């Protein structure tokens, strides 16, 4: 009886988290369509610059399905009115059940001479590859992407729901 009751509590908790998770993102994922070129839905977590567009190469639905042992290309377009973004240092975390694991990003840092920062019609964009490590658990969670400048000031921050798959 105790085991059955414990399972009910776990299921109820997981359902609560799932519902709470969707509410945090304003349920905007229902309308996401990568085929038509929509931006991947994300939650801004304190960006200095306005994020205009976000794409993740392996993401055609939410949560983004991230396959173990692969790399995904992440592209971000953002406003940079003062034209100061020429150095971007990434700190990306996989978050599963409140446990944070650092992700490997290339190139890091992203500087003008590496060709990862581009000007596009008055805005800037950058790209980076994120490695989905084989050791990551097969779970749903969040990808937290933080970017700082050469003065270690946060410039871009966003969260995207993900699921690790085999």
């Amino acid at each position: 009886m105790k085991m059955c009751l414990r399972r009910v509590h776990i299921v109820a908790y997981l359902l609560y988290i799932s519902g709470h998770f969707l509410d945090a993102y304003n349920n905007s994922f229902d309308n996401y369509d990568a085929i038509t070129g929509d931006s991947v839905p994300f939650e801004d977590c304190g960006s200095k610059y306005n994020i205009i567009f976000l794409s993740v190469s392996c993401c055609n639905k939410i949560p983004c399905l991230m396959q173990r042992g692969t790399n995904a290309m992440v592209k971000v377009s953002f406003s940079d009115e003062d034209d100061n973004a020429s150095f971007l240092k990434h700190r990306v975390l996989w978050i599963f059940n409140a446990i944070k694991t650092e992700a490997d990003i290339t190139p890091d840092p992203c500087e003008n001479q590496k060709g990862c920062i581009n000007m596009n019609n008055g805005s800037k964009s950058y790209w980076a590859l994120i490695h989905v490590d084989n050791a990551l658990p097969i779970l749903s969670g969040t990808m937290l992407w933080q970017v700082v400048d050469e003065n270690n000031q946060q410039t871009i921050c966003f969260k995207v729901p993900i699921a690790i798959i085999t």
Side-chain angles (χ1 to χ4, degrees):
M1 180 70 171
K2 279 187 174 184
M3 184 61 111
C4 186
L5 193 56
R6 190 173 297 157
R7 285 184 188 158
V8 168
H9 283 120
I10 291 170
V11 170
Y13 179 70
L14 291 173
L15 289 173
Y16 169 76
I17 290 173
S18 298
H20 180 71
F21 187 69
L22 288 176
D23 288 342
Y25 290 96
N26 298 320
N27 290 322
S28 60
F29 300 139
D30 294 337
N31 300 321
Y32 173 56
D33 186 359
I35 295 170
T36 61
D38 289 347
S39 178
V40 171
F42 62 90
E43 177 186 355
D44 190 289
C45 47
S47 297
K48 172 183 172 184
Y49 300 118
N50 181 38
I51 300 173
I52 300 166
F53 188 84
L54 170 65
S55 72
V56 180
S57 63
C58 60
C59 190
N60 57 14
K61 68 178 187 170
I62 296 299
C64 294
L65 302 179
M66 312 289 278
Q67 185 174 358
R68 282 176 164 177
T70 64
N71 292 320
M73 180 173 285
V74 175
K75 295 180 184 177
V76 179
S77 295
F78 60 97
S79 62
D80 181 18
E81 290 83 17
D82 51 4
D83 198 33
N84 285 336
S86 59
F87 175 92
L88 303 172
K89 174 80 176 138
H90 305 282
R91 180 171 186 247
V92 182
L93 299 173
W94 304 109
I95 305 172
F96 303 103
N97 300 326
I99 298 172
K100 299 175 181 176
T101 304
E102 199 147 342
D104 292 324
I105 307 299
T106 304
D108 192 32
C110 175
E111 300 174 277
N112 279 341
Q113 64 264 29
K114 292 183 179 176
C116 49
I117 300 176
N118 302 303
M119 271 307 265
N120 301 342
N121 300 328
S123 65
K124 284 192 176 173
S125 65
Y126 72 85
W127 64 267
L129 293 175
I130 182 168
H131 179 67
V132 185
D133 194 277
N134 283 320
L136 289 173
I138 299 173
L139 283 174
S140 293
T142 301
M143 177 177 65
L144 171 64
W145 197 289
Q146 300 168 311
V147 180
V148 297
D149 62 17
E150 61 275 1
N151 299 316
N152 208 32
Q153 298 296 309
Q154 183 169 288
T155 57
I156 295 172
C157 183
F158 59 87
K159 297 177 185 177
V160 175
I162 55 99
I164 304 298
I165 61 172
T166 56

